[in-house]
Amino acid sequence: MTTGKSRWFRAAVSGQSMAPTLNHGDYVMVRRGGTVRPGQVVLAEFELKPDFIVIKRVVSVDDNGLWLVGDNSAQSDASEKYGYAAPLGVVFARYWPHPRKL
């Protein structure tokens, strides 16, 4: 992941928790800031495991943070295991290997 101070940064997908939407080895563009809404895919970190940075889908947003799930529940550790998460940015598009907006 390359973050720096830019509003936009890139991240690599590791694992199959977001398949078929995103696959291991995909690269995505992430936008820092803005409003996070249910249904969006985000880069986030769990409050209970802050070194665990994930790309997951937002189920709900409330005062506690984001409740997240993976699109591939058989391969995903998300909010059901780690609780609420804090957003690092919204995944806007996959740019490699097959570019498309999310």
Side-chain angles (χ1 to χ4, degrees):
M1 174 174 64
T2 304
T3 59
K5 295 184 185 216
S6 173
R7 180 177 168 100
W8 294 91
F9 61 96
R10 61 185 182 202
V13 177
S14 177
Q16 292 296 329
S17 70
M18 286 301 294
T21 306
L22 296 168
N23 293 295
H24 180 79
D26 286 354
Y27 288 86
V28 296
M29 290 302 300
V30 181
R31 183 187 73 233
R32 188 186 326 271
T35 303
V36 177
R37 296 181 180 88
Q40 289 181 310
V41 177
V42 297
L43 186 79
E45 61 184 350
F46 290 105
E47 294 172 13
L48 295 178
K49 194 170 181 183
D51 294 334
F52 186 45
I53 296 173
V54 297
I55 296 176
K56 303 290 183 191
R57 189 169 303 279
V58 178
V59 173
S60 66
V61 180
D62 63 30
D63 292 339
N64 294 315
L66 307 176
W67 192 261
L68 306 175
V69 298
D71 286 358
N72 180 1
S73 60
Q75 296 287 319
S76 180
D77 284 338
S79 289
E80 67 275 358
K81 184 171 183 177
Y82 299 112
Y84 287 95
L88 299 174
V90 175
V91 176
F92 179 76
R94 176 181 61 206
Y95 70 88
W96 181 263
H98 305 288
R100 77 173 169 94
K101 251 179 121 171
L102 293 185

